[in-house]
Amino acid sequence: MTTAAAIPLPEIKPKLSGDDRIMRGFILLVGVWMVIAVLLPLYFMLSKSFEDNDGNFIGLLNYAEYFSTPALFYSIENSFFIAVVSTVITITLAFIYAYALTRSLMPFRGAFKVIAMIPLLAPSLLPAISFVYFFGNQGVIKGVLMGETIYGPIGIIMGEVFYTLPHALMILVTALSTADGRLYEAAISLRAGKIKTFFTVTLPGIKYGLISAIFVVFTLVITDFGIPKVIGGQFNVLATDIYKQVIGQQNFEMGAVVSVVLLIPAIAAFLVDRIVQRKQVALLTARAVPLEPKKSRGFDTAMGIYCATIAFVILAIIGMAIYASLVTFWPYNLTLGFTNYDFDVMDGGGWESFGNSLRMAAYTAVFGTAIIFTGAYMVEKTKGFALARGAIQFLCILPMAVPGMVLGLAYIFFFNHPDNPLGMIYGTMVILVVVTISHFYTVSHLTALTALKQMDPEFEAVSASLKVPFFRTFLRVTVPVCLPAILDISIYLFVNAMTTVSAVIFLYSSDTNLASVAALNMDDAGDVAPAAAMSVMIVLASATVRILHAILTRGLARRLQAWRKR
Amino acid sequence: MNKGIAVVEMTAGAGIDGRKPYLRINNVTKKFGDFVALNRVSLDVYEGEFVCFLGPSGCGKTTLLRAIAGLDIQTSGTIEQAGKDISDLPASERDFGIVFQSYALFPNLTVNRNVAYGLENRKVSKADITARVEELLNLVGMPEQGQKYPAQLSGGQQQRVALARALATSPGLLLLDEPLSALDAKVRVRLRHEVKHLQHKLDVTTIMVTHDQEEALTMADRIVVMNQGVIEQVGTPLEIYRRPGSPFVADFVGTMNFLAATAIGNGKVRMGNIELSAGNDGANIGEGTPVTLCVRPEDVMTRNVEADTPNAFEVTVQDMEFLGSFYRADISPRDDEKTVFLADLSINLVRDKNIIKGMNLPVAFPESRIRVFSQT
Ligand SMILES: Nc1ncnc2c1ncn2[C@@H]1O[C@H](COP(=O)(O)OP(=O)(O)OP(=O)(O)O)[C@@H](O)[C@H]1O
Ligand SMILES: [Mg+2]
């Protein structure tokens, strides 16, 4: 007996099933995609920053030049200044707004929530154009600035606050609505005052959400390109510097250096956010009783007035852009009409660019969703293969740390490299779709993972026991059950593809001009009203798709009810 | 001593009704990193047998079941099914049906489609599938519910559907991982009988994981008691209950008195001043060895105890608890108040003899109902 126990037995090497092989193959494909669409371009960009114009390695010389040119490195300070101030303002405004939405019983909460999300539908240059009409040299209320110019930090910060508000709001609303009602009951029973309760219960409860929101906003602002481009005037930031170096001076090496400089804070913010997110998961597993806000006339009224003010400002900014697009010739001929929508007679790409944008967004939504959801499924459900899965998991969340400008520039270096056989996609629609999918990969991937994790983990085991291949179960069960999440992903990709400028600005060609880029270029050429008109078209397209999505989701929800409820 | 192997040697070849082993588990070890979840587990399961894996949470029951299914293949050791070595085969190449605690029914498919799921993939004609699904739903007692979705069914009904789905392809082996534990007590008791009945009718070799001893005792042909990654004992419910193979089993299954005693040779033990004959059980234990003496409360003899009854002694009733159909009493040997054990007293006895707290009465430990375990 004892001797038998002492002999070590040979290890069993599990045989792979056909399913295992296919799933591993898919995982490797996702890996290949990530390597080609993110890692290699970044590597090429990094090495470019160590090269001279002729491609010779010159060590840190470019960096030395960068840091000895005040015109360049002052932008670091500018970027941080803008990012910090915008973050403080956005988080403050968004926090009160989110608090009002979740903790008060003010009327019109639903409407306030929808209005606050509108900025998501607009390209980031839209608020900048609106501000020009409000506060520019011929602005309607330029007196408000008391002689300060809108073209500079003030304009940029105002634009960034508009643009980042919904992002912060989404995170904070989620954080505030997962509060545990029992803690508040405890606080009341201990006779803790309102202020004390706020600091001992509310703030600690949303700590992680708040930190996450801060880093998301910071990253969005520091990497944004559209707003400083339109309204920044002489005030340079890192993102516009990249553009100037590459497009203005054709100095690709310096563009690469600035990209690396911009990449550092973005990656730092990303890492902090990841660490915080991981902690938050542990926090949420506890069973909590949802908090029911109580009626309080004074508080509800105050909150209502606050939200109405913010909502009014948002609507005013959108409204001004629409108005600007309809005015024939500001400020001399105020007749309204559609002359500014006659894009075909203007430089910038014409109506064709709008069509291109729609196509690009549609391709991104369809292919992006298919790739990202399938990839997430494989990463989540494949058995064994832990090392590869871990690596892919990391690669899938990496794109979030890469600013769009940086990714776009990296694509030039990689795909335009004469020896790259993939160079054939350069200048085509394909590269625009690829860069957009990659740029917005992370959020979609995480959405897919969340949905997949809510499925019974034994579906695959049951299928295997019934000898049903996994892809059948994937198509017949996983996809239908996850359809709401899949729709969310596709709409997210569509809207972002419509509005993005930064990822595509370096990559469009004359055949594949896009609406958001056209708006930017028209603005650059002084055609501000047509730029506003194009931005309005983008908002219209995004809003239409959003509304369609809402209708579809509602219809779907009704059908799903059949197998959810009795 | 390696209990896993020792026990198997005891039972090997002794299959029920002379049937052949259908599943042979041989020295199966499963490690998660450095943690050993299963340590050289060996077991034969016979054709048509209903075996329960019973043990406390975390003892490795599910791990063993998943190794048998090929869902999490063991680190070492072999598994044979129907004479074929399946040790390294993936789940999809093994022959089994499985039911999970969560049921894992596909929420977007009707009951009919759920049950038909494994058939639709097998070149079976539509008409045959429909007939088979109907047959299965009848079998599990759910006729005419095929158009509903899982969420529209009660937990018990969902479990029946899961069972029907697992049986649809007529697997050689049925695996059940705590299939009843998510149900409320009444439904659970009813389903116990139904599952057992069904298993008997289909004669399908079945392994069920449970941590509920009552479930194991009522359903199983044989129970495999597991603890910390090894098999403690394998036996019929009666054997496990009557003759637990280790203090762990004695403690885990049913209620047991554990009393300190000393072996004094000739199969006898001494508990305080009382000498007791433990039969074969005490025979191999050397004189002077401290032992644990086990006896169940219901096995303490309280009627017709005479002076010449073997293993009789006088006790004092310390306390009595009324439990409906009987009394459970705390009892001490007379003049030894520190030793306390439980004994069940029937209502009749208490009434006839007018037993009350503090009273003395004679009891006996029947030799055949005593278990003695060496403490060393
Ligand atoms: N994937 C895993 N990684 C690491 N440890 C594991 C893993 N799966 C199981 N274990 C460990 O192996 C041991 C046995 O687990 P198993 O699930 O088999 O227990 P069980 O007997 O089924 O318990 P329960 O009654 O709680 O279901 C436990 O200690 C568990 O923590
Ligand atoms: Mg278990």
Side-chain angles (χ1 to χ4, degrees):
Chain A
M1 239 185 274
T2 30
T3 47
I7 305 166
L9 294 162
E11 260 195 32
I12 299 287
K13 281 202 71 121
K15 283 206 183 107
L16 294 184
S17 66
D19 279 3
D20 290 335
R21 275 178 236 275
I22 298 172
M23 290 175 90
R24 286 173 187 212
F26 264 104
I27 286 205
L28 290 180
L29 279 183
V30 176
V32 168
W33 167 282
M34 280 296 159
V35 167
I36 291 178
V38 181
L39 268 196
L40 280 179
L42 285 181
Y43 170 76
F44 272 64
M45 190 198 71
L46 201 63
S47 53
K48 198 75 178 176
S49 73
F50 298 111
E51 286 171 8
D52 67 11
N53 211 348
D54 302 321
N56 303 312
F57 181 79
I58 53 166
L60 290 171
L61 237 58
N62 290 328
Y63 289 86
E65 189 190 338
Y66 178 84
F67 284 103
S68 57
T69 315
L72 286 173
F73 73 77
Y74 277 174
S75 298
I76 300 179
E77 202 188 314
N78 288 350
S79 274
F80 270 87
F81 171 72
I82 295 287
V84 170
V85 176
S86 306
T87 304
V88 170
I89 298 175
T90 302
I91 295 293
T92 311
L93 293 178
F95 181 82
I96 302 174
Y97 204 94
Y99 197 82
L101 287 178
T102 52
R103 300 287 168 89
S104 84
L105 290 171
M106 63 178 183
F108 310 121
R109 290 196 299 281
F112 285 143
K113 196 167 179 185
V114 171
I115 292 171
M117 292 299 136
I118 291 177
L120 289 176
L121 306 175
S124 65
L125 57 108
L126 180 139
I129 292 173
S130 278
F131 290 143
V132 169
Y133 277 78
F134 276 120
F135 309 109
N137 296 333
Q138 288 150 338
V140 282
I141 49 168
K142 75 184 242 211
V144 175
L145 292 183
M146 293 184 294
E148 296 290 332
T149 172
I150 191 72
Y151 296 100
I154 297 180
I156 301 178
I157 290 170
M158 284 166 51
E160 298 295 357
V161 170
F162 173 88
Y163 159 62
T164 54
L165 190 75
H167 294 272
L169 199 58
M170 282 190 289
I171 300 172
L172 292 174
V173 163
T174 310
L176 279 164
S177 38
T178 48
D180 191 342
R182 292 171 304 180
L183 291 176
Y184 288 87
E185 277 160 23
I188 289 171
S189 71
L190 293 171
R191 297 179 196 285
K194 281 227 160 75
I195 311 251
K196 185 159 186 204
T197 308
F198 181 82
F199 280 103
T200 53
V201 179
T202 309
L203 268 190
I206 61 153
K207 186 171 62 185
Y208 297 121
L210 194 60
I211 296 173
S212 190
I214 288 171
F215 282 101
V216 165
V217 171
F218 179 88
T219 311
L220 282 172
V221 175
I222 207 164
T223 59
D224 181 49
F225 165 70
I227 293 168
K229 174 82 181 67
V230 170
I231 209 168
Q234 301 304 311
F235 192 82
N236 292 329
V237 295
L238 291 170
T240 49
D241 277 356
I242 300 177
Y243 183 74
K244 280 183 190 151
Q245 288 299 327
V246 172
I247 302 293
Q249 318 200 353
Q250 298 284 309
N251 187 344
F252 289 90
E253 293 71 28
M254 198 47 77
V257 171
V258 185
S259 294
V260 173
V261 172
L262 179 56
L263 200 52
I264 291 166
I267 287 188
F270 161 81
L271 288 179
V272 174
D273 188 46
R274 289 311 306 167
I275 295 165
V276 170
Q277 297 272 338
R278 199 158 299 165
K279 292 206 173 136
Q280 191 178 18
V281 173
L283 190 82
L284 281 177
T285 47
R287 277 238 137 171
V289 177
L291 175 71
E292 301 282 350
K294 292 199 180 61
K295 199 141 187 70
S296 154
R297 209 129 163 244
F299 178 68
D300 291 350
T301 313
M303 285 294 142
I305 292 172
Y306 173 81
C307 290
T309 312
I310 301 266
F312 174 78
V313 172
I314 292 173
L315 290 177
I317 291 169
I318 300 282
M320 180 52 99
I322 297 173
Y323 177 68
S325 75
L326 295 174
V327 167
T328 309
F329 189 52
W330 177 271
Y332 308 107
N333 178 358
L334 296 184
T335 26
L336 300 182
F338 287 98
T339 44
N340 294 320
Y341 286 81
D342 203 357
F343 301 128
D344 285 339
V345 303
M346 287 166 235
D347 288 340
W351 275 102
E352 195 194 323
S353 65
F354 184 68
N356 284 340
S357 265
L358 286 178
R359 270 170 53 218
M360 200 274 271
Y363 291 147
T364 302
V366 171
F367 293 108
T369 307
I371 293 171
I372 294 168
F373 188 80
T374 313
Y377 176 85
M378 300 300 164
V379 169
E380 180 66 16
K381 302 289 181 185
T382 302
K383 289 194 302 181
F385 216 40
L387 218 63
R389 278 167 60 204
I392 306 291
Q393 187 72 271
F394 173 76
L395 285 178
C396 288
I397 55 170
L398 179 65
M400 192 182 242
V402 184
M405 295 291 290
V406 176
L407 195 63
L409 182 59
Y411 270 43
I412 298 186
F413 295 138
F414 180 62
F415 287 101
N416 202 26
H417 196 281
D419 298 334
N420 188 344
L422 294 168
M424 63 200 179
I425 71 168
Y426 194 75
T428 66
M429 183 62 97
V430 178
I431 198 168
L432 297 177
V433 173
V434 170
V435 79
T436 310
I437 293 175
S438 304
H439 185 35
F440 297 107
Y441 201 101
T442 307
V443 172
S444 314
H445 177 74
L446 295 177
T447 308
L449 274 190
T450 309
L452 286 166
K453 278 189 200 297
Q454 283 164 357
M455 307 243 310
D456 193 313
E458 309 296 5
F459 284 163
E460 283 69 27
V462 168
S463 312
S465 80
L466 296 172
K467 304 194 175 28
V468 176
F470 85 92
F471 50 84
R472 240 182 105 89
T473 305
F474 176 72
L475 292 175
R476 279 196 60 187
V477 180
T478 313
V479 169
V481 172
C482 291
L483 207 51
I486 291 175
L487 281 177
D488 281 349
I489 293 171
S490 54
I491 196 75
Y492 169 85
L493 288 174
F494 187 94
V495 169
N496 275 300
M498 281 306 291
T499 56
T500 188
V501 182
S502 60
V504 293
I505 188 91
F506 295 136
L507 299 173
Y508 71 94
S509 67
S510 52
D511 294 336
T512 57
N513 207 340
L514 299 172
S516 53
V517 176
L520 194 88
N521 287 338
M522 289 191 282
D523 177 81
D524 225 12
D527 293 333
V528 183
M534 191 60 99
S535 301
V536 168
M537 286 312 300
I538 294 173
V539 174
L540 274 181
S542 305
T544 308
V545 174
R546 266 261 171 236
I547 291 166
L548 280 179
H549 170 254
I551 294 169
L552 206 63
T553 309
R554 189 162 296 177
L556 198 71
R558 205 167 302 140
R559 255 193 56 201
L560 300 194
Q561 289 303 328
W563 43 271
R564 289 249 165 88
K565 289 233 172 83
R566 282 153 194 261
Chain B
M1 173 170 102
N2 188 322
K3 291 176 186 116
I5 293 175
V7 167
V8 169
E9 280 168 1
M10 256 163 50
T11 55
I16 48 166
D17 319 331
R19 290 186 182 203
K20 286 189 305 230
Y22 176 72
L23 189 74
R24 310 201 73 156
I25 298 164
N26 202 348
N27 277 316
V28 162
T29 296
K30 174 76 184 180
K31 293 182 186 165
F32 294 109
D34 283 339
F35 178 75
V36 183
L38 292 175
N39 191 3
R40 289 182 175 251
V41 168
S42 298
L43 174 74
D44 283 350
V45 178
Y46 297 90
E47 237 167 60
E49 197 181 14
F50 193 126
V51 167
C52 272
F53 293 171
L54 176 67
S57 186
C59 68
K61 308 176 297 278
T62 299
T63 307
L64 183 54
L65 195 80
R66 292 181 74 90
I68 294 169
L71 295 169
D72 281 307
I73 291 177
Q74 69 276 17
T75 313
S76 63
T78 56
I79 299 178
E80 271 176 41
Q81 184 177 357
K84 184 176 149 211
D85 186 348
I86 57 165
S87 307
D88 58 356
L89 294 185
S92 54
E93 287 167 38
R94 298 188 185 194
D95 176 22
F96 70 98
I98 192 162
V99 175
F100 291 101
Q101 184 180 352
S102 65
Y103 321 135
L105 292 175
F106 303 126
N108 60 324
L109 303 181
T110 59
V111 166
N112 277 338
R113 316 284 323 234
N114 262 288
V115 176
Y117 201 77
L119 301 168
E120 286 171 356
N121 204 39
R122 304 199 170 195
K123 303 201 172 67
V124 187
S125 78
K126 272 238 167 78
D128 288 352
I129 292 179
T130 313
R132 175 81 177 138
V133 168
E134 201 171 319
E135 179 193 342
L136 283 158
L137 287 178
N138 277 328
L139 199 64
V140 297
M142 287 198 44
E144 284 151 33
Q145 310 251 27
Q147 295 307 322
K148 290 189 177 166
Y149 286 99
Q152 297 166 324
L153 303 175
S154 71
Q157 289 174 320
Q158 291 187 38
Q159 195 53 285
R160 289 165 213 246
V161 176
L163 200 58
R165 181 178 64 182
L167 291 169
T169 52
S170 309
L173 180 63
L174 181 62
L175 303 176
L176 312 167
D177 191 356
E178 310 220 13
L180 307 180
S181 62
L183 304 171
D184 57 38
K186 269 213 173 120
V187 182
R188 196 153 64 207
V189 170
R190 203 172 66 225
L191 265 179
R192 259 186 217 161
H193 293 288
E194 289 183 18
V195 171
K196 175 72 191 153
H197 181 74
L198 192 65
Q199 186 271 338
H200 195 74
K201 186 160 149 192
L202 300 176
D203 205 24
V204 54
T205 312
T206 301
I207 298 177
M208 183 174 96
V209 164
T210 179
H211 58 245
D212 179 345
Q213 45 153 320
E214 215 177 285
E215 209 165 280
L217 290 171
T218 51
M219 293 175 81
D221 294 323
R222 277 194 306 153
I223 296 175
V224 176
V225 185
M226 297 179 65
N227 183 30
Q228 298 191 341
V230 298
I231 292 179
E232 287 272 344
Q233 187 177 5
V234 182
T236 63
L238 215 58
E239 280 166 5
I240 298 280
Y241 193 81
R242 283 276 173 82
R243 299 198 62 75
S246 67
F248 172 82
V249 177
D251 191 24
F252 191 74
V253 181
T255 311
M256 184 66 89
N257 290 304
F258 291 90
L259 297 162
T262 314
I264 51 172
N266 293 330
K268 293 193 165 205
V269 299
R270 188 201 302 281
M271 177 180 78
N273 299 326
I274 305 160
E275 268 186 29
L276 298 165
S277 166
N280 288 338
D281 229 34
N284 297 329
I285 303 175
E287 222 177 300
T289 316
V291 296
T292 302
L293 185 151
C294 296
V295 63
R296 294 198 186 277
E298 70 267 29
D299 287 336
V300 177
M301 198 173 145
T302 47
R303 269 188 187 274
N304 308 328
V305 181
E306 311 290 340
D308 58 345
T309 309
N311 289 349
F313 55 98
E314 280 279 310
V315 295
T316 311
V317 177
Q318 302 276 13
D319 205 353
M320 284 168 68
E321 191 185 3
F322 179 55
L323 289 180
S325 52
F326 64 93
Y327 284 88
R328 182 153 284 175
D330 285 351
I331 282 178
S332 296
R334 226 169 135 175
D335 312 324
D336 182 7
E337 289 190 356
K338 275 190 216 119
T339 309
V340 182
F341 59 89
L342 299 173
D344 291 350
L345 309 177
S346 75
I347 303 270
N348 273 339
L349 179 82
V350 172
R351 197 186 303 133
D352 291 355
K353 295 204 173 171
N354 215 348
I355 297 177
I356 49 163
K357 215 168 126 175
M359 206 171 128
N360 292 338
L361 72 158
V363 301
F365 289 173
E367 191 184 288
S368 61
R369 298 294 164 85
I370 295 179
R371 296 244 56 191
V372 172
F373 299 103
S374 164
Q375 280 185 10
T376 48

